[in-house]
Amino acid sequence: MKRAVYVRVSTQRQAHLQTIEQHLERLQAHFQEQGWEWAEDLVFRDDGYSGASLKRPGLDRLREQAAQARLDRVVITTPDRLA
């Protein structure tokens, strides 16, 4: 099963409170707890992109992979990271 990860931090405030690296650490810990394989090539990230726009490089690549049925699951820290 291919599991992708999507992380995004949009504002300066968010960057200070919770960095993308912290999101990735939480997700890696979850993957380890579940016994899932972590694949760096399935980590999609958007540093400094607002959720107000769906035009984000990491999200665009994620959607491409999903549209081609190359992913079975997308894991995120909170739903608002996609919105």
Side-chain angles (χ1 to χ4, degrees), residues 5 7 19-33 38 77:
V5 167
V7 291
T19 67
I20 281 189
E21 286 70 28
Q22 289 169 323
H23 285 253
L24 289 171
E25 287 172 11
R26 285 178 59 202
L27 290 167
Q28 283 176 323
H30 180 70
F31 269 58
Q32 190 172 16
E33 289 168 7
W38 182 267
T77 54

Side-chain angles (χ1 to χ4, degrees), residues 40-52:
E40 287 295 328
D41 62 322
L42 295 178
V43 174
F44 301 88
R45 59 188 291 163
D46 284 316
D47 297 90
Y49 283 85
S50 169

Side-chain angles (χ1 to χ4, degrees), residues 46-72:
D46 284 316
D47 297 90
Y49 283 85
S50 169
S53 172
L54 290 177
K55 291 233 175 234
R56 299 178 235 151
L59 185 59
D60 290 344
R61 289 192 313 278
L62 174 65
R63 284 192 300 241
E64 271 180 28
Q65 294 289 313
Q68 295 173 13
R70 292 187 178 167
L71 306 172
D72 298 301

